[in-house]
PDB file of all heavy atoms in Angstrom:
ATOM      1  N   LYS A  53      -0.542  69.955   8.245  1.00 91.00           N
ATOM      2  CA  LYS A  53      -0.945  69.452   6.927  1.00 91.00           C
ATOM      3  C   LYS A  53      -2.346  68.849   6.944  1.00 91.00           C
ATOM      4  O   LYS A  53      -2.990  68.712   5.917  1.00 91.00           O
ATOM      5  CB  LYS A  53       0.071  68.427   6.431  1.00 91.00           C
ATOM      6  CG  LYS A  53       1.440  69.061   6.176  1.00 91.00           C
ATOM      7  CD  LYS A  53       2.437  68.069   5.629  1.00 91.00           C
ATOM      8  CE  LYS A  53       3.771  68.761   5.343  1.00 91.00           C
ATOM      9  NZ  LYS A  53       4.800  67.811   4.874  1.00 91.00           N
ATOM     10  N   LYS A  54      -2.790  68.464   8.135  1.00 95.00           N
ATOM     11  CA  LYS A  54      -4.143  67.928   8.317  1.00 95.00           C
ATOM     12  C   LYS A  54      -4.725  68.585   9.561  1.00 95.00           C
ATOM     13  O   LYS A  54      -3.997  69.165  10.372  1.00 95.00           O
ATOM     14  CB  LYS A  54      -4.106  66.408   8.507  1.00 95.00           C
ATOM     15  CG  LYS A  54      -3.464  65.632   7.379  1.00 95.00           C
ATOM     16  CD  LYS A  54      -3.346  64.164   7.772  1.00 95.00           C
ATOM     17  CE  LYS A  54      -2.581  63.372   6.717  1.00 95.00           C
ATOM     18  NZ  LYS A  54      -2.310  61.990   7.162  1.00 95.00           N
ATOM     19  N   ASP A  55      -6.048  68.454   9.725  1.00 97.00           N
ATOM     20  CA  ASP A  55      -6.674  69.014  10.928  1.00 97.00           C
ATOM     21  C   ASP A  55      -6.257  68.262  12.181  1.00 97.00           C
ATOM     22  O   ASP A  55      -6.294  68.809  13.283  1.00 97.00           O
ATOM     23  CB  ASP A  55      -8.199  68.995  10.791  1.00 97.00           C
ATOM     24  CG  ASP A  55      -8.696  70.022   9.787  1.00 97.00           C
ATOM     25  OD1 ASP A  55      -7.975  71.010   9.545  1.00 97.00           O
ATOM     26  OD2 ASP A  55      -9.798  69.839   9.237  1.00 97.00           O
ATOM     27  N   TYR A  56      -5.890  66.972  12.007  1.00 98.00           N
ATOM     28  CA  TYR A  56      -5.458  66.180  13.153  1.00 98.00           C
ATOM     29  C   TYR A  56      -4.227  65.375  12.759  1.00 98.00           C
ATOM     30  O   TYR A  56      -4.219  64.676  11.741  1.00 98.00           O
ATOM     31  CB  TYR A  56      -6.567  65.227  13.609  1.00 98.00           C
ATOM     32  CG  TYR A  56      -6.161  64.335  14.753  1.00 98.00           C
ATOM     33  CD1 TYR A  56      -5.873  64.859  16.013  1.00 98.00           C
ATOM     34  CD2 TYR A  56      -6.032  62.958  14.574  1.00 98.00           C
ATOM     35  CE1 TYR A  56      -5.482  64.043  17.061  1.00 98.00           C
ATOM     36  CE2 TYR A  56      -5.646  62.127  15.626  1.00 98.00           C
ATOM     37  CZ  TYR A  56      -5.363  62.671  16.859  1.00 98.00           C
ATOM     38  OH  TYR A  56      -4.970  61.875  17.898  1.00 98.00           O
ATOM     39  N   GLU A  57      -3.167  65.492  13.561  1.00 98.00           N
ATOM     40  CA  GLU A  57      -1.905  64.799  13.280  1.00 98.00           C
ATOM     41  C   GLU A  57      -1.387  64.118  14.543  1.00 98.00           C
ATOM     42  O   GLU A  57      -1.724  64.506  15.663  1.00 98.00           O
ATOM     43  CB  GLU A  57      -0.845  65.786  12.780  1.00 98.00           C
ATOM     44  CG  GLU A  57      -1.193  66.469  11.470  1.00 98.00           C
ATOM     45  CD  GLU A  57      -0.132  67.479  11.054  1.00 98.00           C
ATOM     46  OE1 GLU A  57       0.108  68.432  11.816  1.00 98.00           O
ATOM     47  OE2 GLU A  57       0.450  67.298   9.976  1.00 98.00           O
ATOM     48  N   VAL A  58      -0.536  63.122  14.335  1.00 98.00           N
ATOM     49  CA  VAL A  58       0.063  62.358  15.431  1.00 98.00           C
ATOM     50  C   VAL A  58       1.568  62.287  15.227  1.00 98.00           C
ATOM     51  O   VAL A  58       2.041  62.063  14.106  1.00 98.00           O
ATOM     52  CB  VAL A  58      -0.518  60.930  15.465  1.00 98.00           C
ATOM     53  CG1 VAL A  58       0.243  60.062  16.449  1.00 98.00           C
ATOM     54  CG2 VAL A  58      -1.991  60.956  15.828  1.00 98.00           C
ATOM     55  N   PHE A  59       2.331  62.484  16.312  1.00 98.00           N
ATOM     56  CA  PHE A  59       3.790  62.403  16.232  1.00 98.00           C
ATOM     57  C   PHE A  59       4.340  61.599  17.402  1.00 98.00           C
ATOM     58  O   PHE A  59       3.908  61.765  18.547  1.00 98.00           O
ATOM     59  CB  PHE A  59       4.425  63.801  16.258  1.00 98.00           C
ATOM     60  CG  PHE A  59       4.083  64.655  15.086  1.00 98.00           C
ATOM     61  CD1 PHE A  59       3.090  65.620  15.190  1.00 98.00           C
ATOM     62  CD2 PHE A  59       4.736  64.493  13.869  1.00 98.00           C
ATOM     63  CE1 PHE A  59       2.762  66.411  14.099  1.00 98.00           C
ATOM     64  CE2 PHE A  59       4.415  65.281  12.772  1.00 98.00           C
ATOM     65  CZ  PHE A  59       3.419  66.247  12.889  1.00 98.00           C
ATOM     66  N   ASN A  60       5.332  60.747  17.117  1.00 98.00           N
ATOM     67  CA  ASN A  60       6.096  60.053  18.155  1.00 98.00           C
ATOM     68  C   ASN A  60       7.203  60.958  18.677  1.00 98.00           C
ATOM     69  O   ASN A  60       7.898  61.608  17.888  1.00 98.00           O
ATOM     70  CB  ASN A  60       6.750  58.789  17.594  1.00 98.00           C
ATOM     71  CG  ASN A  60       5.770  57.667  17.357  1.00 98.00           C
ATOM     72  OD1 ASN A  60       4.671  57.667  17.883  1.00 98.00           O
ATOM     73  ND2 ASN A  60       6.177  56.692  16.548  1.00 98.00           N
ATOM     74  N   LEU A  61       7.390  60.942  19.989  1.00 98.00           N
ATOM     75  CA  LEU A  61       8.479  61.714  20.597  1.00 98.00           C
ATOM     76  C   LEU A  61       9.384  60.770  21.384  1.00 98.00           C
ATOM     77  O   LEU A  61       8.990  60.221  22.419  1.00 98.00           O
ATOM     78  CB  LEU A  61       7.928  62.804  21.520  1.00 98.00           C
ATOM     79  CG  LEU A  61       7.005  63.840  20.867  1.00 98.00           C
ATOM     80  CD1 LEU A  61       6.537  64.848  21.898  1.00 98.00           C
ATOM     81  CD2 LEU A  61       7.696  64.546  19.697  1.00 98.00           C
ATOM     82  N   GLY A  62      10.566  60.551  20.868  1.00 98.00           N
ATOM     83  CA  GLY A  62      11.538  59.683  21.527  1.00 98.00           C
ATOM     84  C   GLY A  62      12.912  59.917  20.930  1.00 98.00           C
ATOM     85  O   GLY A  62      13.098  60.733  20.026  1.00 98.00           O
ATOM     86  N   THR A  63      13.890  59.173  21.436  1.00 98.00           N
ATOM     87  CA  THR A  63      15.266  59.316  20.944  1.00 98.00           C
ATOM     88  C   THR A  63      15.541  58.402  19.769  1.00 98.00           C
ATOM     89  O   THR A  63      16.489  58.604  19.027  1.00 98.00           O
ATOM     90  CB  THR A  63      16.281  58.959  22.048  1.00 98.00           C
ATOM     91  OG1 THR A  63      16.146  57.559  22.361  1.00 98.00           O
ATOM     92  CG2 THR A  63      16.054  59.789  23.303  1.00 98.00           C
ATOM     93  N   GLY A  64      14.734  57.337  19.643  1.00 98.00           N
ATOM     94  CA  GLY A  64      14.989  56.323  18.628  1.00 98.00           C
ATOM     95  C   GLY A  64      15.902  55.215  19.108  1.00 98.00           C
ATOM     96  O   GLY A  64      16.293  54.341  18.338  1.00 98.00           O
ATOM     97  N   LYS A  65      16.218  55.223  20.408  1.00 98.00           N
ATOM     98  CA  LYS A  65      17.131  54.208  20.956  1.00 98.00           C
ATOM     99  C   LYS A  65      16.493  53.539  22.169  1.00 98.00           C
ATOM    100  O   LYS A  65      15.980  54.213  23.054  1.00 98.00           O
ATOM    101  CB  LYS A  65      18.449  54.859  21.366  1.00 98.00           C
ATOM    102  CG  LYS A  65      19.474  53.854  21.889  1.00 98.00           C
ATOM    103  CD  LYS A  65      20.732  54.551  22.415  1.00 98.00           C
ATOM    104  CE  LYS A  65      21.715  53.529  22.983  1.00 98.00           C
ATOM    105  NZ  LYS A  65      22.826  54.141  23.712  1.00 98.00           N
ATOM    106  N   GLY A  66      16.554  52.219  22.196  1.00 98.00           N
ATOM    107  CA  GLY A  66      16.032  51.471  23.333  1.00 98.00           C
ATOM    108  C   GLY A  66      17.089  51.267  24.402  1.00 98.00           C
ATOM    109  O   GLY A  66      18.247  50.976  24.096  1.00 98.00           O
ATOM    110  N   VAL A  67      16.687  51.419  25.659  1.00 98.00           N
ATOM    111  CA  VAL A  67      17.599  51.264  26.803  1.00 98.00           C
ATOM    112  C   VAL A  67      16.924  50.346  27.810  1.00 98.00           C
ATOM    113  O   VAL A  67      15.757  50.546  28.165  1.00 98.00           O
ATOM    114  CB  VAL A  67      17.892  52.636  27.460  1.00 98.00           C
ATOM    115  CG1 VAL A  67      18.693  52.467  28.749  1.00 98.00           C
ATOM    116  CG2 VAL A  67      18.622  53.552  26.488  1.00 98.00           C
ATOM    117  N   SER A  68      17.641  49.342  28.290  1.00 98.00           N
ATOM    118  CA  SER A  68      17.058  48.420  29.267  1.00 98.00           C
ATOM    119  C   SER A  68      17.077  49.043  30.666  1.00 98.00           C
ATOM    120  O   SER A  68      17.801  50.012  30.930  1.00 98.00           O
ATOM    121  CB  SER A  68      17.836  47.103  29.287  1.00 98.00           C
ATOM    122  OG  SER A  68      19.069  47.266  29.966  1.00 98.00           O
ATOM    123  N   VAL A  69      16.290  48.449  31.552  1.00 98.00           N
ATOM    124  CA  VAL A  69      16.248  48.928  32.939  1.00 98.00           C
ATOM    125  C   VAL A  69      17.641  48.851  33.567  1.00 98.00           C
ATOM    126  O   VAL A  69      18.084  49.787  34.243  1.00 98.00           O
ATOM    127  CB  VAL A  69      15.238  48.107  33.765  1.00 98.00           C
ATOM    128  CG1 VAL A  69      15.315  48.470  35.246  1.00 98.00           C
ATOM    129  CG2 VAL A  69      13.819  48.322  33.239  1.00 98.00           C
ATOM    130  N   LEU A  70      18.350  47.751  33.330  1.00 98.00           N
ATOM    131  CA  LEU A  70      19.695  47.621  33.921  1.00 98.00           C
ATOM    132  C   LEU A  70      20.670  48.623  33.322  1.00 98.00           C
ATOM    133  O   LEU A  70      21.550  49.144  34.026  1.00 98.00           O
ATOM    134  CB  LEU A  70      20.220  46.195  33.747  1.00 98.00           C
ATOM    135  CG  LEU A  70      19.473  45.102  34.526  1.00 98.00           C
ATOM    136  CD1 LEU A  70      20.147  43.748  34.330  1.00 98.00           C
ATOM    137  CD2 LEU A  70      19.388  45.443  36.018  1.00 98.00           C
ATOM    138  N   GLU A  71      20.536  48.935  32.037  1.00 98.00           N
ATOM    139  CA  GLU A  71      21.386  49.973  31.424  1.00 98.00           C
ATOM    140  C   GLU A  71      21.087  51.341  32.023  1.00 98.00           C
ATOM    141  O   GLU A  71      22.001  52.151  32.227  1.00 98.00           O
ATOM    142  CB  GLU A  71      21.165  49.992  29.904  1.00 98.00           C
ATOM    143  CG  GLU A  71      21.784  48.816  29.175  1.00 98.00           C
ATOM    144  CD  GLU A  71      21.403  48.770  27.706  1.00 98.00           C
ATOM    145  OE1 GLU A  71      20.297  49.214  27.336  1.00 98.00           O
ATOM    146  OE2 GLU A  71      22.238  48.273  26.911  1.00 98.00           O
ATOM    147  N   ALA A  72      19.817  51.608  32.301  1.00 98.00           N
ATOM    148  CA  ALA A  72      19.448  52.880  32.929  1.00 98.00           C
ATOM    149  C   ALA A  72      20.059  52.985  34.321  1.00 98.00           C
ATOM    150  O   ALA A  72      20.570  54.048  34.716  1.00 98.00           O
ATOM    151  CB  ALA A  72      17.928  53.009  33.000  1.00 98.00           C
ATOM    152  N   ILE A  73      20.022  51.898  35.060  1.00 98.00           N
ATOM    153  CA  ILE A  73      20.626  51.881  36.396  1.00 98.00           C
ATOM    154  C   ILE A  73      22.130  52.159  36.307  1.00 98.00           C
ATOM    155  O   ILE A  73      22.675  52.955  37.084  1.00 98.00           O
ATOM    156  CB  ILE A  73      20.355  50.520  37.088  1.00 98.00           C
ATOM    157  CG1 ILE A  73      18.874  50.406  37.461  1.00 98.00           C
ATOM    158  CG2 ILE A  73      21.241  50.350  38.321  1.00 98.00           C
ATOM    159  CD1 ILE A  73      18.462  49.026  37.933  1.00 98.00           C
ATOM    160  N   LYS A  74      22.798  51.525  35.347  1.00 98.00           N
ATOM    161  CA  LYS A  74      24.248  51.739  35.180  1.00 98.00           C
ATOM    162  C   LYS A  74      24.568  53.190  34.834  1.00 98.00           C
ATOM    163  O   LYS A  74      25.557  53.759  35.313  1.00 98.00           O
ATOM    164  CB  LYS A  74      24.801  50.805  34.103  1.00 98.00           C
ATOM    165  CG  LYS A  74      24.913  49.352  34.551  1.00 98.00           C
ATOM    166  CD  LYS A  74      25.313  48.441  33.406  1.00 98.00           C
ATOM    167  CE  LYS A  74      25.244  46.976  33.824  1.00 98.00           C
ATOM    168  NZ  LYS A  74      25.381  46.062  32.676  1.00 98.00           N
ATOM    169  N   SER A  75      23.740  53.805  34.000  1.00 98.00           N
ATOM    170  CA  SER A  75      23.939  55.214  33.649  1.00 98.00           C
ATOM    171  C   SER A  75      23.846  56.085  34.893  1.00 98.00           C
ATOM    172  O   SER A  75      24.685  56.965  35.118  1.00 98.00           O
ATOM    173  CB  SER A  75      22.896  55.659  32.618  1.00 98.00           C
ATOM    174  OG  SER A  75      22.908  57.058  32.455  1.00 98.00           O
ATOM    175  N   PHE A  76      22.832  55.824  35.724  1.00 98.00           N
ATOM    176  CA  PHE A  76      22.680  56.611  36.948  1.00 98.00           C
ATOM    177  C   PHE A  76      23.878  56.416  37.871  1.00 98.00           C
ATOM    178  O   PHE A  76      24.407  57.389  38.434  1.00 98.00           O
ATOM    179  CB  PHE A  76      21.387  56.245  37.690  1.00 98.00           C
ATOM    180  CG  PHE A  76      21.248  56.988  38.986  1.00 98.00           C
ATOM    181  CD1 PHE A  76      20.755  58.281  39.004  1.00 98.00           C
ATOM    182  CD2 PHE A  76      21.671  56.419  40.185  1.00 98.00           C
ATOM    183  CE1 PHE A  76      20.668  58.992  40.196  1.00 98.00           C
ATOM    184  CE2 PHE A  76      21.584  57.119  41.382  1.00 98.00           C
ATOM    185  CZ  PHE A  76      21.076  58.411  41.381  1.00 98.00           C
ATOM    186  N   GLU A  77      24.308  55.172  38.045  1.00 98.00           N
ATOM    187  CA  GLU A  77      25.445  54.910  38.935  1.00 98.00           C
ATOM    188  C   GLU A  77      26.697  55.631  38.448  1.00 98.00           C
ATOM    189  O   GLU A  77      27.475  56.163  39.247  1.00 98.00           O
ATOM    190  CB  GLU A  77      25.696  53.402  39.017  1.00 98.00           C
ATOM    191  CG  GLU A  77      24.620  52.651  39.801  1.00 98.00           C
ATOM    192  CD  GLU A  77      24.853  51.145  39.865  1.00 98.00           C
ATOM    193  OE1 GLU A  77      25.520  50.610  38.937  1.00 98.00           O
ATOM    194  OE2 GLU A  77      24.390  50.517  40.832  1.00 98.00           O
ATOM    195  N   LYS A  78      26.847  55.707  37.137  1.00 98.00           N
ATOM    196  CA  LYS A  78      28.029  56.376  36.559  1.00 98.00           C
ATOM    197  C   LYS A  78      28.026  57.873  36.861  1.00 98.00           C
ATOM    198  O   LYS A  78      29.035  58.423  37.313  1.00 98.00           O
ATOM    199  CB  LYS A  78      28.068  56.132  35.049  1.00 98.00           C
ATOM    200  CG  LYS A  78      29.266  56.779  34.357  1.00 98.00           C
ATOM    201  CD  LYS A  78      29.349  56.395  32.894  1.00 98.00           C
ATOM    202  CE  LYS A  78      28.300  57.088  32.065  1.00 98.00           C
ATOM    203  NZ  LYS A  78      28.464  56.848  30.610  1.00 98.00           N
ATOM    204  N   VAL A  79      26.884  58.537  36.606  1.00 98.00           N
ATOM    205  CA  VAL A  79      26.862  59.998  36.747  1.00 98.00           C
ATOM    206  C   VAL A  79      26.757  60.443  38.201  1.00 98.00           C
ATOM    207  O   VAL A  79      27.188  61.546  38.553  1.00 98.00           O
ATOM    208  CB  VAL A  79      25.733  60.642  35.914  1.00 98.00           C
ATOM    209  CG1 VAL A  79      25.887  60.309  34.446  1.00 98.00           C
ATOM    210  CG2 VAL A  79      24.351  60.253  36.418  1.00 98.00           C
ATOM    211  N   SER A  80      26.200  59.584  39.061  1.00 97.00           N
ATOM    212  CA  SER A  80      26.009  59.966  40.465  1.00 97.00           C
ATOM    213  C   SER A  80      27.155  59.518  41.362  1.00 97.00           C
ATOM    214  O   SER A  80      27.350  60.074  42.448  1.00 97.00           O
ATOM    215  CB  SER A  80      24.704  59.359  41.003  1.00 97.00           C
ATOM    216  OG  SER A  80      24.812  57.949  41.115  1.00 97.00           O
ATOM    217  N   GLY A  81      27.896  58.496  40.892  1.00 96.00           N
ATOM    218  CA  GLY A  81      28.945  57.936  41.731  1.00 96.00           C
ATOM    219  C   GLY A  81      28.403  57.095  42.878  1.00 96.00           C
ATOM    220  O   GLY A  81      29.132  56.770  43.826  1.00 96.00           O
ATOM    221  N   ARG A  82      27.123  56.732  42.823  1.00 95.00           N
ATOM    222  CA  ARG A  82      26.495  55.943  43.889  1.00 95.00           C
ATOM    223  C   ARG A  82      26.109  54.568  43.376  1.00 95.00           C
ATOM    224  O   ARG A  82      25.553  54.443  42.292  1.00 95.00           O
ATOM    225  CB  ARG A  82      25.248  56.652  44.426  1.00 95.00           C
ATOM    226  CG  ARG A  82      25.553  57.986  45.058  1.00 95.00           C
ATOM    227  CD  ARG A  82      24.527  58.364  46.086  1.00 95.00           C
ATOM    228  NE  ARG A  82      24.968  59.541  46.832  1.00 95.00           N
ATOM    229  CZ  ARG A  82      24.459  59.917  47.991  1.00 95.00           C
ATOM    230  NH1 ARG A  82      23.507  59.199  48.548  1.00 95.00           N
ATOM    231  NH2 ARG A  82      24.908  61.003  48.596  1.00 95.00           N
ATOM    232  N   LYS A  83      26.387  53.556  44.176  1.00 95.00           N
ATOM    233  CA  LYS A  83      26.010  52.189  43.828  1.00 95.00           C
ATOM    234  C   LYS A  83      24.597  51.946  44.339  1.00 95.00           C
ATOM    235  O   LYS A  83      24.294  52.207  45.505  1.00 95.00           O
ATOM    236  CB  LYS A  83      26.987  51.204  44.481  1.00 95.00           C
ATOM    237  CG  LYS A  83      26.873  49.792  43.964  1.00 95.00           C
ATOM    238  CD  LYS A  83      27.489  49.648  42.589  1.00 95.00           C
ATOM    239  CE  LYS A  83      27.423  48.187  42.127  1.00 95.00           C
ATOM    240  NZ  LYS A  83      27.695  48.051  40.692  1.00 95.00           N
ATOM    241  N   LEU A  84      23.726  51.463  43.471  1.00 96.00           N
ATOM    242  CA  LEU A  84      22.337  51.240  43.851  1.00 96.00           C
ATOM    243  C   LEU A  84      22.124  49.819  44.358  1.00 96.00           C
ATOM    244  O   LEU A  84      22.658  48.857  43.794  1.00 96.00           O
ATOM    245  CB  LEU A  84      21.412  51.467  42.651  1.00 96.00           C
ATOM    246  CG  LEU A  84      21.140  52.918  42.248  1.00 96.00           C
ATOM    247  CD1 LEU A  84      20.325  52.942  40.962  1.00 96.00           C
ATOM    248  CD2 LEU A  84      20.407  53.671  43.338  1.00 96.00           C
ATOM    249  N   LYS A  85      21.309  49.709  45.390  1.00 94.00           N
ATOM    250  CA  LYS A  85      20.882  48.405  45.855  1.00 94.00           C
ATOM    251  C   LYS A  85      19.562  48.076  45.161  1.00 94.00           C
ATOM    252  O   LYS A  85      18.604  48.843  45.264  1.00 94.00           O
ATOM    253  CB  LYS A  85      20.687  48.424  47.370  1.00 94.00           C
ATOM    254  CG  LYS A  85      20.302  47.073  47.954  1.00 94.00           C
ATOM    255  CD  LYS A  85      20.076  47.185  49.461  1.00 94.00           C
ATOM    256  CE  LYS A  85      19.636  45.842  50.033  1.00 94.00           C
ATOM    257  NZ  LYS A  85      19.273  45.967  51.472  1.00 94.00           N
ATOM    258  N   TYR A  86      19.536  46.976  44.417  1.00 94.00           N
ATOM    259  CA  TYR A  86      18.290  46.601  43.755  1.00 94.00           C
ATOM    260  C   TYR A  86      18.100  45.087  43.790  1.00 94.00           C
ATOM    261  O   TYR A  86      19.044  44.323  43.965  1.00 94.00           O
ATOM    262  CB  TYR A  86      18.263  47.117  42.309  1.00 94.00           C
ATOM    263  CG  TYR A  86      19.267  46.511  41.367  1.00 94.00           C
ATOM    264  CD1 TYR A  86      18.977  45.336  40.664  1.00 94.00           C
ATOM    265  CD2 TYR A  86      20.504  47.126  41.149  1.00 94.00           C
ATOM    266  CE1 TYR A  86      19.903  44.792  39.790  1.00 94.00           C
ATOM    267  CE2 TYR A  86      21.433  46.581  40.280  1.00 94.00           C
ATOM    268  CZ  TYR A  86      21.125  45.416  39.600  1.00 94.00           C
ATOM    269  OH  TYR A  86      22.037  44.858  38.731  1.00 94.00           O
ATOM    270  N   SER A  87      16.832  44.698  43.647  1.00 95.00           N
ATOM    271  CA  SER A  87      16.507  43.277  43.596  1.00 95.00           C
ATOM    272  C   SER A  87      15.526  43.038  42.452  1.00 95.00           C
ATOM    273  O   SER A  87      14.851  43.956  41.989  1.00 95.00           O
ATOM    274  CB  SER A  87      15.892  42.813  44.922  1.00 95.00           C
ATOM    275  OG  SER A  87      14.654  43.467  45.149  1.00 95.00           O
ATOM    276  N   ILE A  88      15.482  41.798  42.014  1.00 95.00           N
ATOM    277  CA  ILE A  88      14.581  41.434  40.921  1.00 95.00           C
ATOM    278  C   ILE A  88      13.251  40.984  41.509  1.00 95.00           C
ATOM    279  O   ILE A  88      13.206  40.103  42.373  1.00 95.00           O
ATOM    280  CB  ILE A  88      15.176  40.304  40.057  1.00 95.00           C
ATOM    281  CG1 ILE A  88      16.581  40.682  39.559  1.00 95.00           C
ATOM    282  CG2 ILE A  88      14.241  39.985  38.888  1.00 95.00           C
ATOM    283  CD1 ILE A  88      16.644  41.916  38.694  1.00 95.00           C
ATOM    284  N   ALA A  89      12.171  41.604  41.044  1.00 95.00           N
ATOM    285  CA  ALA A  89      10.818  41.217  41.454  1.00 95.00           C
ATOM    286  C   ALA A  89      10.109  40.597  40.249  1.00 95.00           C
ATOM    287  O   ALA A  89      10.640  40.581  39.138  1.00 95.00           O
ATOM    288  CB  ALA A  89      10.058  42.443  41.959  1.00 95.00           C
ATOM    289  N   GLY A  90       8.915  40.093  40.476  1.00 93.00           N
ATOM    290  CA  GLY A  90       8.135  39.515  39.383  1.00 93.00           C
ATOM    291  C   GLY A  90       7.702  40.588  38.393  1.00 93.00           C
ATOM    292  O   GLY A  90       7.754  41.791  38.679  1.00 93.00           O
TER     293      GLY A  90
END
């Protein structure tokens, strides 16, 4: 519609780092060792 356009590409849903870790542990069946850094 214009010579230059911009589009966002995402799912529209926010996921935290800890939620991402839980998703991986669920699908892989592996428990991850992690620590909190600064």
Side-chain angles (χ1 to χ4, degrees):
K53 295 182 178 177
K54 302 173 186 173
D55 288 336
Y56 177 66
E57 297 178 300
V58 171
F59 296 100
N60 286 342
L61 301 180
T63 65
K65 183 185 178 190
V67 173
S68 75
V69 173
L70 293 183
E71 287 173 329
I73 289 170
K74 286 173 187 169
S75 169
F76 177 82
E77 289 179 334
K78 180 174 74 173
V79 301
S80 69
R82 297 206 171 197
K83 192 75 177 166
L84 284 174
K85 183 182 178 186
Y86 66 88
S87 64
I88 306 299

